[in-house]
Amino acid sequence: MSNQGYDEELREERAYVAGLYARLDRERAVAQARYHGALGQTGLTPGERETDVRCRSREAARLDVADNSLCFGRLDAVSGETSYIGRIGLFDAENDYEPFLLDWRAPAARPFYVATAATPENMRRRRQFRTLGRKVVDFTDEVLGRPQAGERGDAALLAAVNAPRGEGMRDIVATIQAEQDEVIRLGHQGVLVVEGGPGTGKTAIALHRVAYLLYTHRERMSRTGVLVVGPSPLFLDHIGRVLPSLGESDVVFRTPGDLVPGLHVTAEDPPEVARLKGSLKILDVLSAAVADRQNVPDEPVPVELADVTVELDADLAAGARLEARRSGLPHNEARAVFREHVTAAVAERAVAKIGEGWLTRADRGAWADLRADVLDELAEHEDLDGTLAALWPELTPETLLAPLYMSPRRLEAAGADPALFRADGAAWTVSDVPLLDELADLLGRDVTAERAAARRQTEEDAEYSAGVLELLKLDREEMDEDVLLAAEHLLDAGDLADRFVERDTRDLAERAAADRDWTYGHVVVDEAQELSEMDWRTLMRRCPSRSFTIVGDLAQRRSAAGATAWEPMLAPYVADRWAYRELTVNYRTPAEIMAVAGALLAEFAPAARPPESVRACGVRPWSRRVADGEVQDAVDEFERDEAGREGTSVVIGPPGVPGTIPPSATKGLEFDAVLVVEPERILAGGARGAAELYVALTRATQRLGVLHRDPLPAVLAGLAEAGSPARSGHRRFL
């Protein structure tokens, strides 16, 4: 294309995209007006109004997120038809809803990502825009249908992967590649496992798959929302803007430590303890620990009644305990069964003792009448109530698990490993979360107590409302007959109490995040190789439909309780009904850095295959040996160097090194420049340490440096000796 032809087409594309933005602005104004109208409307029930407001709010939000890169390209079909592809769909309501702009998730937009010279999908040309704000500044064309270089759309792709990183993760809708698109749009309705090495886009693919599923199954999934589970708060902050930028807000972001609402993780378990807690064998321990809290008295307990005293002994309590356990109810709900059987047995003993010599069971009427009187007395018997509460206490997951950890006797009674002992039972760890979640089901709720509390609340509300009505009453003597319609004529105290019930105005994500029993339409699990068997049990409980997108890399596993293979983790829940896809192209890590990381991978995981880097950056990794007192100065020098560059940087090191963050905190993140401090100390953790160093080495998109005090680990030292001197004289290229 000549320069003149290019300039003319660029002007035309700018005009078309400007028209799309003008239409977007008009639709935004209409959506905002409808939203404010919904807020002020009357004549609807609170539920109807709330539904309408949320619907209007969602539409307004969908249009608001589209400002950045509204349109990122177009497709020219062999038939001559042209389609523009963008972040959302815009349609001509006056012309049979012909699309001005196709949503990237729509089936008609798929060739934009998968068409190649070999398989053109009936397309003649793919055009990709480069935009700045609302303006198209450049475009690149691929002519499809005949052999040519650049089948991946390399110009747009390489511009994206080479661009400096910002504070958060970017969406990839403009540069999705065919390998990625196949996974995003996969029609599999169950569990999908996506495995790939560093930089293969696992996280981006999972998030875009969520956006695609919400688009294609909106009615079903929007009712329950999506749960995204990631390894750390830093990671969730990093990815948190992607789905909102794609117009999706019904999403809850959580770490494994946040899956029990209100719980705060403050400690970390040693690897062996984490392994014990992560195994399904801990289920037997938890069941035994619950059973251990269902007691019988060591000595008979006297129950004093008005006419007689009877004993509650071990045999009587054991019989009641057996009946309660046979009920199959959770511990707290079975309390009522236990109490009922104990009370009935005590009443029988009391009646027999009171009627000794003059009353027999043959006299059924008199026996039943006396038994009813005794039961009424026992119902108000505070001492018996206290005894029963001690024998079969109401428990929460926390009040069971914390004392268990703190008591060698309780641990032994539950068949637990003594290694689970800790002095501060409530110093919760991530490994405790699935145990507490499991106990929530084993213990259940105390239904009797909840009903009593609900009754008390209703009575209090009615009493309060009655007082309000008294204040609302008007002096009838000062009112004429036409206005003699006082508040008490319109509603009674019960009606008014109902009006004081608090309406839940939270959006779906807020309600789901606060509700431990909420079940989601879909769950995304990132860095899934770190999750234990018990973690998976917790997550499966959150999604009965078993609709999961699972992404991870077994080679990066650091948790002693994590996965060494996917099948053992998934088979108990979905058998063989899960799909597996592997990603092989590294879009993040340049070839120079991946060569270093790949050598380490071959050392500790020889069966693993490193992903193939799609690009080189032209900057070779470097190493520098420093003395004990020079580490901080070297870190400061690195940070000064990077401060003058565009993009992001990070210093990664083993725990205890000032100014660094541990490799585990950077999982799933990416930076333009990375400095790894004292890799020899990171490696000291064995296989876990090797996996952590592999994570650290693969976070950089452009520049990688290594500081070491001791000699470099052998797998790195050999590469360093093969390199050339760095420009500063005291650095060596890795």
Side-chain angles (χ1 to χ4, degrees):
M1 183 186 301
S2 66
N3 288 339
Q4 183 177 356
Y6 171 84
D7 291 341
E8 178 61 29
E9 291 202 32
L10 181 59
R11 281 193 294 272
E12 292 175 358
E13 300 294 18
R14 285 175 174 170
Y16 190 87
V17 172
L20 291 176
Y21 274 111
R23 177 167 293 275
L24 173 67
D25 290 338
R26 290 195 297 273
E27 292 195 16
R28 277 179 174 170
V30 171
Q32 285 293 332
R34 288 173 175 169
Y35 171 65
H36 290 297
L39 287 175
Q41 65 186 322
T42 58
L44 298 178
T45 67
E48 291 171 336
R49 178 178 174 276
E50 183 178 330
T51 299
D52 194 34
V53 168
R54 284 179 177 169
C55 179
R56 301 303 183 188
S57 174
R58 185 178 293 112
E59 174 61 13
R62 183 186 79 89
L63 295 170
D64 280 344
V65 302
D67 213 64
N68 182 39
S69 298
L70 172 63
C71 176
F72 38 78
R74 93 180 200 194
L75 282 169
D76 296 346
V78 172
S79 64
E81 183 180 359
T82 295
S83 301
Y84 285 83
I85 314 300
R87 192 172 297 277
I88 63 171
L90 294 175
F91 302 92
D92 185 355
E94 298 177 356
N95 187 22
D96 240 4
Y97 282 89
E98 282 294 312
F100 289 112
L101 183 67
L102 277 176
D103 191 299
W104 67 274
R105 294 162 288 197
R110 189 168 187 266
F112 188 79
Y113 302 110
V114 301
T116 67
T119 56
E121 302 279 336
N122 294 318
M123 295 296 149
R124 181 177 58 84
R125 180 175 64 180
R126 171 172 47 222
R127 173 168 289 179
Q128 292 180 283
F129 297 151
R130 186 165 66 87
T131 60
L132 182 62
R134 291 188 165 201
K135 185 177 181 181
V136 177
V137 297
D138 191 11
F139 67 78
T140 58
D141 283 344
E142 281 184 88
V143 178
L144 304 168
R146 67 174 186 267
Q148 63 171 30
E151 288 183 0
R152 292 195 193 106
D154 289 341
L157 172 64
L158 292 178
V161 296
N162 280 310
R165 267 48 189 173
E167 291 302 316
M169 187 179 192
R170 298 170 295 182
D171 67 67
I172 60 170
V173 291
T175 57
I176 292 171
Q177 302 303 292
E179 178 188 56
Q180 300 170 325
D181 186 79
E182 189 269 336
V183 176
I184 290 170
R185 297 174 191 266
L186 192 67
H188 188 74
Q189 295 295 308
V191 174
L192 171 63
V193 176
V194 182
E195 183 165 16
T200 52
K202 300 183 297 295
T203 300
I205 287 171
L207 296 177
H208 287 71
R209 178 166 171 78
V210 167
Y212 174 74
L213 291 174
L214 284 167
Y215 177 83
T216 54
H217 303 286
R218 173 70 62 187
E219 184 176 351
R220 175 176 62 86
M221 294 185 64
S222 63
R223 292 195 300 268
T224 52
V226 173
L227 172 65
V228 176
V229 179
S232 68
L234 187 63
F235 172 81
L236 294 179
D237 287 342
H238 178 66
I239 69 171
R241 68 186 67 181
V242 173
L243 283 169
S245 76
L246 297 173
E248 306 302 346
S249 58
D250 293 337
V251 182
V252 175
F253 293 90
R254 285 289 180 265
T255 69
D258 299 328
L259 291 175
V260 173
L263 186 76
H264 298 289
V265 170
T266 60
E268 183 176 357
D269 282 317
E272 176 59 18
V273 174
R275 186 189 64 78
L276 290 169
K277 292 180 180 179
S279 169
L280 292 181
K281 295 177 182 178
I282 200 72
L283 292 172
D284 292 334
V285 172
L286 298 179
S287 295
V290 173
D292 186 51
R293 301 297 292 271
Q294 299 164 354
N295 302 305
V296 297
D298 295 328
E299 299 290 338
V301 178
V303 180
E304 297 183 1
L305 298 170
D307 298 319
V308 70
T309 297
V310 295
E311 290 186 338
L312 193 173
D313 56 29
D315 287 342
L316 186 153
R321 180 173 66 180
L322 180 61
E323 292 300 322
R325 289 175 176 175
R326 282 177 174 170
S327 72
L329 294 171
H331 170 88
N332 287 331
E333 296 171 36
R335 289 177 74 231
V337 180
F338 176 73
R339 297 170 74 92
E340 180 182 349
H341 279 80
V342 168
T343 304
V346 168
E348 288 293 322
R349 289 187 177 184
V351 170
K353 198 167 185 178
I354 294 171
E356 188 175 0
W358 64 271
L359 180 64
T360 68
R361 289 184 181 274
D363 190 355
R364 294 180 180 179
W367 187 283
D369 289 342
L370 183 55
R371 184 175 183 275
D373 291 340
V374 172
L375 285 173
D376 287 341
E377 186 176 355
L378 289 174
E380 304 296 327
H381 202 292
E382 293 184 1
D383 289 343
L384 177 61
D385 188 68
T387 299
L388 294 179
L391 294 177
W392 195 293
E394 180 182 0
L395 296 169
T396 66
E398 293 84 354
T399 57
L400 183 137
L401 197 57
L404 175 67
Y405 288 148
M406 298 169 64
S407 169
R409 185 206 67 75
R410 290 192 187 277
L411 287 171
E412 182 180 6
D417 192 299
L420 295 183
F421 173 83
R422 68 184 185 214
D424 185 354
W428 304 118
T429 69
V430 172
S431 303
D432 290 327
V433 172
L435 277 61
L436 292 165
D437 193 67
E438 187 72 32
L439 285 169
D441 278 358
L442 287 175
L443 297 175
R445 295 185 172 93
D446 188 342
V447 178
T448 303
E450 287 185 359
R451 288 173 179 167
R455 282 196 301 271
R456 286 195 300 272
Q457 186 63 52
T458 300
E459 291 168 0
E460 290 173 6
D461 289 344
E463 183 179 354
Y464 172 76
S465 300
V468 172
L469 287 175
E470 285 296 320
L471 294 175
L472 290 175
K473 286 181 180 178
L474 303 176
D475 186 348
R476 291 184 176 83
E477 295 180 359
E478 297 180 4
M479 299 175 64
D480 61 37
E481 195 170 311
D482 291 336
V483 296
L484 191 56
L485 187 62
E488 72 270 21
H489 296 147
L490 297 175
L491 71 169
D492 60 21
D495 292 330
L496 186 59
D498 289 340
R499 299 192 180 192
F500 280 101
V501 174
E502 184 178 353
R503 303 292 178 188
D504 191 343
T505 59
R506 298 172 297 173
D507 62 27
L508 182 143
E510 291 174 314
R511 286 181 285 127
D515 186 354
R516 180 258 168 191
D517 294 323
W518 190 278
T519 55
Y520 295 88
H522 190 75
V523 176
V524 175
V525 186
D526 208 328
E527 300 294 341
Q529 72 279 353
E530 304 299 342
L531 300 190
S532 70
E533 292 176 313
M534 287 297 293
D535 287 323
W536 284 112
R537 190 172 169 89
T538 297
L539 289 175
M540 292 294 171
R541 196 177 284 124
R542 300 295 189 276
C543 188
S545 66
R546 304 293 189 258
S547 179
F548 280 76
T549 298
I550 297 167
V551 296
D553 180 10
L554 295 177
Q556 295 187 57
R557 177 181 67 90
R558 65 181 291 274
S559 170
T564 56
W566 300 115
E567 193 273 340
M569 295 295 186
L570 301 176
Y573 310 101
V574 295
D576 59 353
R577 299 186 302 277
W578 56 282
Y580 176 86
R581 294 292 185 273
E582 184 179 12
L583 303 174
T584 59
V585 179
N586 187 333
Y587 299 100
R588 176 181 67 213
T589 316
E592 296 90 341
I593 295 175
M594 201 61 217
V596 177
L600 174 63
L601 181 65
E603 184 81 12
F604 79 91
R609 181 177 61 174
E612 179 183 354
S613 295
V614 76
R615 68 189 176 97
C617 65
V619 180
R620 299 174 64 188
W622 56 265
S623 71
R624 175 181 173 185
R625 187 168 186 177
V626 292
D628 286 351
E630 298 175 342
V631 174
Q632 189 58 55
D633 290 340
V635 169
D636 292 342
E637 180 185 346
F638 167 80
E639 291 178 339
R640 284 194 301 270
D641 287 347
E642 291 301 326
R645 303 175 187 261
E646 187 179 4
T648 59
S649 62
V650 69
V651 181
I652 303 174
V657 176
T660 71
I661 64 174
S664 59
T666 67
K667 298 197 79 167
L669 307 181
E670 57 183 33
F671 306 88
D672 291 275
V674 172
L675 180 65
V676 179
V677 178
E678 299 190 51
E680 63 276 19
R681 285 180 56 187
I682 298 175
L683 270 179
R688 175 182 176 180
E692 293 203 328
L693 182 57
Y694 182 62
V695 169
L697 294 175
T698 54
R699 298 306 95 195
T701 66
Q702 302 289 343
R703 300 175 294 281
L704 172 67
V706 173
L707 294 179
H708 60 104
R709 293 190 302 177
D710 297 331
L712 276 175
V715 69
L716 301 180
L719 293 174
E721 293 169 359
S724 306
R727 65 177 186 271
S728 62
H730 56 254
R731 292 175 178 168
R732 296 178 300 168
F733 285 112
L734 290 178

